[in-house]
Amino acid sequence: MGKSIVKDEERRPSLSALVVYLLPCILGLGFARTAQAALSPATIMQSRNGFSDLSMSFRIIAMIVILAVLFAYGKQLQKRQVNGFMLINLFACMASLAGLFLAEVLGGPAPLCEAIYIVGIVASVYTLFYWFRRLRDCNPATVIVALCSARIVYEAATALMALADHTPLYLVGIAFLLLELGCIHWSRRQRPQDAPSAPLSSDNYFTIDGRIQDMRLLLFAILSCFLLSTAYDLIKSFPSGTAIDLLPLTRWGVAALAIGLLVIGVLTAFKGKSFTKVVCVFVGLFIGGAAAILLFAFSDSLQGGALLVTACNSLKDTLKWYIIVAFMSLGKRDPYIYAALAWLVFQSPVLVDTIMWNIAAAVEPGALGSEITGTLVTLLLVLAACGFIIGLSSVLTAQHQEEPTQPSGFIRSLIGEERPVSMGQLREEATAEEVRKMGRTFLLSEREVEVATLYVLGHTQSSIAEELCVSKTTVHTHIRHIYEKTEMHSRQDLLDYLKIYGS
């Protein structure tokens, strides 16, 4: 059997080599997020985005419409469709930035600016999804490195943008989109065989020793993040429900603290289980939120609390990105569907908090604006999220020694799987899942994962070519690339790897 399995199980890829290989995705995602921020330049110097109720409603409606179209289509988008959809969204975002710039210069009506902004923000969300889609087949540690690095690019860029006037930032956003277009072409020219070796481990997004199902834990994580986001959105608008204007020194402090936290994320990406790191981030965010509230309550200035909560919010948004990538990687429906579903859940806290502030203002003006009431509401939400995490940890501990059960009907429907009707189908599903995990470990492409699955199930190269509607030469090339990237040399080596490192 190939030496790759038996030698140094703790082998780690060179972090610098990995970052260089991921650079197109890192820069592309960072530029996409920066261009999204340029759609609303004023919010760069505020503790939160000041979306209007109309804007938020139309954004959600537009996302639901696109989601419905993808559901109705019923199949995964092909590479050409994905690339075309990305270009449509990128140019729509670019047109929106140009339209907002002209409206700012010429004094366009507010409803028109609002409509242009909605188109741009929805398009920008799907440009982010494109980069998430490219990362979804990587292993969790690689995803953490890419997302944290991209967020560092965004934080550094927006800190510099904070020095400029608002109007030119629309043009800066267009420049970042042009750079993102270059990153798209750069990433397409990369050869999969040039990817650095990934660590040999069976670590996955939301499992502990492969004993508990990813999807169930992922749904728990999404709900936890929803509760945490609700608390953070209240904290960011403390004490009156409006965004806090950041002083220049505070804005640079936000960037410095956020970048420091993200650098720690990059340096610790390959240490420990991914789920353990997610729990640690949750706990850190609880502590950061509580500390921010204390700063708001006992300080004469709002700047200290705004600095801490805005920096921690950057880490929370990176956690959301990670959860979206994990969600995209676990189902058989098109990844954009899972990304849009997660995005809708993560947007809900903004609506919940808006409704709470409006009700409070109608019943008793300033009810949630007082320091005491605002502190209590936020602490209750933070404690609710913290209690949920503690309860989840108890469930995981209790079930750690149990045999894994089959996914429920709801989860199977969500991920696009029908219940197997025979032991043969169960075996094929289990093998396919193990090969997908191996693909994330060794950075195999989507097609290589498909070929490897059929290959380890015993198909000949001719039958694989017939199944995938490609030539036998193409299949042979894919298998050669699989051997090169995994450092294995035969079908039996692959089977032995799955036996040793599979769940």
Side-chain angles (χ1 to χ4, degrees):
M1 183 178 175
K3 295 181 180 180
S4 61
I5 295 177
V6 296
K7 70 175 183 181
D8 190 10
E9 181 177 346
E10 297 302 321
R11 174 168 61 94
R12 294 292 183 265
S14 165
L15 184 58
S16 58
L18 184 63
V19 170
V20 169
Y21 179 77
L22 292 172
L23 205 54
C25 282
I26 290 172
L27 294 177
L29 180 56
F31 294 157
R33 181 62 184 89
T34 305
Q36 186 183 63
L39 285 163
S40 183
T43 60
I44 293 175
M45 290 296 292
Q46 293 180 334
S47 61
R48 63 170 290 178
N49 293 320
F51 301 127
S52 69
D53 294 345
L54 179 64
S55 170
M56 180 58 65
S57 299
F58 274 105
R59 287 173 63 190
I60 291 176
I61 291 171
M63 190 64 69
I64 291 174
V65 169
I66 296 174
L67 186 60
V69 171
L70 291 172
F71 259 115
Y73 183 64
K75 298 182 293 185
Q76 288 206 18
L77 299 179
Q78 299 299 313
K79 183 179 295 185
R80 183 176 300 176
Q81 295 171 314
V82 171
N83 292 335
F85 188 50
M86 171 59 175
L87 291 177
I88 289 172
N89 285 297
L90 190 144
F91 286 118
C93 189
M94 199 177 297
S96 297
L97 285 165
L100 290 172
F101 173 76
L102 293 175
E104 183 85 10
V105 172
L106 302 176
L112 176 62
C113 293
E114 190 89 6
I116 295 173
Y117 171 76
I118 292 171
V119 172
I121 201 70
V122 172
S124 70
V125 168
Y126 273 95
T127 62
L128 297 178
F129 290 172
Y130 171 82
W131 296 108
F132 297 160
R133 188 181 186 118
R134 291 191 68 90
L135 289 170
R136 77 188 193 282
D137 288 323
C138 298
N139 64 24
T142 302
V143 172
I144 291 172
V145 170
L147 297 183
C148 288
S149 300
R151 193 77 193 188
I152 289 171
V153 172
Y154 161 74
E155 291 293 342
T158 50
L160 293 174
M161 289 166 64
L163 301 174
D165 293 332
H166 291 171
T167 303
L169 292 183
Y170 294 120
L171 301 180
V172 173
I174 294 175
F176 275 111
L177 289 175
L178 291 173
L179 291 173
E180 183 185 359
L181 184 61
C183 290
I184 293 172
H185 292 294
W186 182 9
S187 65
R188 290 179 189 170
R189 293 203 312 268
Q190 284 184 313
R191 299 181 303 170
Q193 57 267 35
D194 292 336
S197 299
L200 292 176
S201 74
S202 59
D203 187 25
N204 206 3
Y205 286 101
F206 291 96
T207 55
I208 296 180
D209 298 332
R211 302 300 296 273
I212 301 176
Q213 295 165 359
D214 290 324
M215 183 59 75
R216 183 172 56 191
L217 290 187
L218 180 55
L219 294 176
F220 276 118
I222 290 174
L223 182 55
S224 297
C225 205
F226 164 79
L227 294 171
L228 189 61
S229 296
T230 304
Y232 262 74
D233 281 327
L234 279 174
I235 299 171
K236 288 187 294 181
S237 55
F238 185 88
S240 60
T242 57
I244 301 169
D245 292 326
L246 303 178
L247 298 175
L249 185 60
T250 304
R251 185 65 188 80
W252 278 86
V254 168
L257 180 55
I259 289 173
L261 293 172
L262 293 165
V263 167
I264 292 174
V266 172
L267 296 178
T268 59
F270 291 103
K271 297 179 180 179
K273 290 287 184 180
S274 297
F275 180 71
T276 304
K277 290 194 281 285
V278 169
V279 172
C280 289
V281 171
F282 268 117
V283 173
L285 291 173
F286 295 141
I287 296 172
I293 273 296
L294 293 176
L295 286 173
F296 280 133
F298 298 106
S299 175
D300 295 333
S301 173
L302 298 178
Q303 294 299 306
L307 187 156
L308 181 57
V309 73
T310 308
C312 289
N313 187 70
S314 183
L315 186 62
K316 177 179 67 68
D317 285 347
T318 308
L319 175 63
K320 288 181 181 179
W321 287 1
Y322 179 82
I323 291 175
I324 290 175
V325 175
F327 202 25
M328 294 173 82
S329 71
L330 294 178
K332 292 186 176 180
R333 300 186 189 277
D334 190 84
Y336 281 144
I337 291 177
Y338 301 106
L341 287 171
W343 183 89
L344 287 171
V345 173
F346 292 150
Q347 289 299 305
S348 301
V350 179
L351 291 178
V352 172
D353 293 340
T354 301
I355 292 171
M356 290 179 65
W357 290 115
N358 289 339
I359 292 175
V363 174
E364 180 184 351
L368 285 180
S370 68
E371 292 184 1
I372 296 176
T373 309
T375 302
L376 287 175
V377 170
T378 307
L379 284 178
L380 283 172
L381 287 169
V382 171
L383 290 174
C386 188
F388 186 86
I389 290 295
I390 294 172
L392 176 58
S393 300
S394 301
V395 171
L396 297 180
T397 302
Q399 295 188 5
H400 184 59
Q401 301 300 326
E402 295 180 6
E403 291 297 323
T405 57
Q406 288 297 315
S408 66
F410 167 74
I411 292 179
R412 282 190 168 275
S413 175
L414 181 64
I415 64 179
E417 289 185 346
E418 299 296 331
R419 185 173 296 276
V421 296
S422 67
M423 290 300 296
Q425 287 181 329
L426 280 171
R427 173 180 170 274
E428 289 182 5
E429 283 195 3
T431 301
E433 177 60 26
E434 294 304 329
V435 174
R436 280 195 291 271
K437 292 178 182 178
M438 184 182 73
R440 287 192 286 270
T441 298
F442 293 104
L443 300 179
L444 302 182
S445 68
E446 293 180 52
R447 182 61 85 180
E448 287 167 353
V449 169
E450 292 177 346
V451 170
T453 301
L454 294 172
Y455 194 54
V456 299
L457 285 173
H459 291 254
T460 64
Q461 294 190 24
S462 298
S463 64
I464 295 173
E466 183 177 349
E467 176 77 16
L468 300 180
C469 300
V470 296
S471 69
K472 185 177 177 180
T473 302
T474 301
V475 172
H476 180 76
T477 301
H478 283 311
I479 292 175
R480 178 166 55 82
H481 288 164
I482 292 168
Y483 286 155
E484 290 174 353
K485 293 165 77 170
T486 60
E487 299 182 20
M488 303 180 206
H489 310 289
S490 67
R491 192 199 312 255
Q492 189 59 47
D493 282 356
L494 296 173
L495 291 170
D496 290 343
Y497 175 90
L498 295 177
K499 182 178 180 180
I500 294 173
Y501 292 98
S503 299

